[in-house]
Amino acid sequence: LAKTTQPISMDSYEGQEVNITCSHNNIATNDYITWYQQFPSQGPRFIIQGYKTKVTNEVASLFIPADRKSSTLSLPRVSLSDTAVYYCLVAVPSGATNKLIFGTGTLLAVQP
Amino acid sequence: ETGVTQSPTHLIKTRGQQVTLRCSSQSGHNTVSWYQQALGQGPQFIFQYYREEENGRGNFPPRFSGLQFPNYSSELNVNALELDDSALYLCASSQAGEIGNEQFFGPGTRLTVL
């Protein structure tokens, strides 16, 4: 049974780097690992996506080890506006297709 | 570029009724996914449609069904509503490719079942 787990919450201060890890076993070998940010009463918003190794964009980095059983979202120099829930999203095999599973979510609280 | 839109914004139904939720995908996207998000929990994958065919399904009973139209808009139908169906229903669109391609989410429809 596929399980995708994250820490329930994390605290940080403005300007710090934050790393959030998602553990995911039995994910599809041919699909992305993706991270989303969600604010209250809004739909999730895409942050970053990758297959393996390291991906970096203008807002975050994503580290994926070779076995793809985990991934780590890195947010450099967080600000108060980064306070939100962060989810990983993976695809897992399900019969002839894959299905998508969100992680349990991590509430990041950034303090001044 | 028009983003993902959903209608209605809010809906109140009673147990046993049927409901239809609608989603218009972002311009240029041909894939639509639906999710259920209960209060305080993460989104749960219901199903995905690609070019009018179901392309993947989560662990939801058959009373959750969907359609995708030639213009790539989509409907989610839920029959025989139960109290536990109360949730935020999210639609997301993406371009063709792997099921986990970058998705753009709409604001959701808040369904309350009494």
Side-chain angles (χ1 to χ4, degrees):
Chain A
L1 181 65
K3 295 184 67 174
T4 308
T5 57
Q6 303 175 229
I8 293 175
S9 64
M10 296 183 72
D11 292 323
S12 183
Y13 292 95
E14 282 192 293
Q16 288 189 327
E17 178 185 76
V18 171
N19 296 308
I20 306 174
T21 296
C22 176
S23 298
H24 32 74
N25 62 344
N26 193 34
I27 66 170
T29 57
N30 60 340
D31 217 322
Y32 292 108
I33 297 166
T34 312
W35 283 79
Y36 289 85
Q37 176 193 55
Q38 188 176 29
F39 297 109
S41 300
Q42 294 185 22
R45 187 176 72 171
F46 174 87
I47 302 172
I48 197 167
Q49 182 177 70
Y51 276 121
K52 56 184 177 181
T53 64
K54 178 182 175 182
V55 179
T56 298
N57 62 19
E58 62 276 11
V59 299
S61 294
L62 178 60
F63 300 91
I64 303 171
D67 64 6
R68 288 174 36 97
K69 291 186 182 299
S70 67
S71 59
T72 299
L73 172 71
S74 180
L75 303 172
R77 299 179 301 282
V78 295
S79 63
L80 295 176
S81 63
D82 292 320
T83 294
V85 179
Y86 292 82
Y87 293 99
C88 61
L89 175 65
V90 299
V92 299
S94 179
T97 62
N98 293 337
K99 63 180 180 181
L100 296 170
I101 295 182
F102 271 93
T104 48
T106 299
L107 174 59
L108 173 64
V110 181
Q111 301 176 36
Chain B
E1 184 178 84
T2 305
V4 177
T5 60
Q6 294 185 241
S7 63
T9 306
H10 296 87
L11 200 54
I12 299 175
K13 291 285 189 178
T14 56
R15 209 167 34 174
Q17 286 189 311
Q18 177 267 343
V19 69
T20 298
L21 310 181
R22 295 177 175 82
C23 171
S24 292
S25 59
Q26 182 163 311
S27 176
H29 289 179
N30 56 16
T31 302
V32 173
S33 303
W34 285 92
Y35 297 85
Q36 179 196 67
Q37 186 171 27
L39 200 60
Q41 298 185 24
Q44 300 292 314
F45 176 64
I46 302 175
F47 40 58
Q48 183 181 87
Y49 278 83
Y50 167 61
R51 291 187 175 179
E52 304 176 59
E53 297 287 331
E54 190 176 286
N55 188 41
R57 188 179 181 93
N59 299 328
F60 281 79
R63 60 189 184 85
F64 286 79
S65 62
L67 282 173
Q68 187 180 31
F69 301 99
N71 66 355
Y72 304 127
S73 65
S74 177
E75 286 183 354
L76 165 66
N77 298 289
V78 187
N79 293 322
L81 283 167
E82 301 176 358
L83 297 179
D84 286 347
D85 296 333
S86 293
L88 180 68
Y89 287 85
L90 295 162
C91 165
S93 73
S94 56
Q95 295 179 332
E98 302 302 336
I99 192 173
N101 270 6
E102 176 183 353
Q103 298 176 73
F104 294 79
F105 284 81
T109 294
R110 174 72 62 186
L111 172 65
T112 301
V113 182
L114 302 176

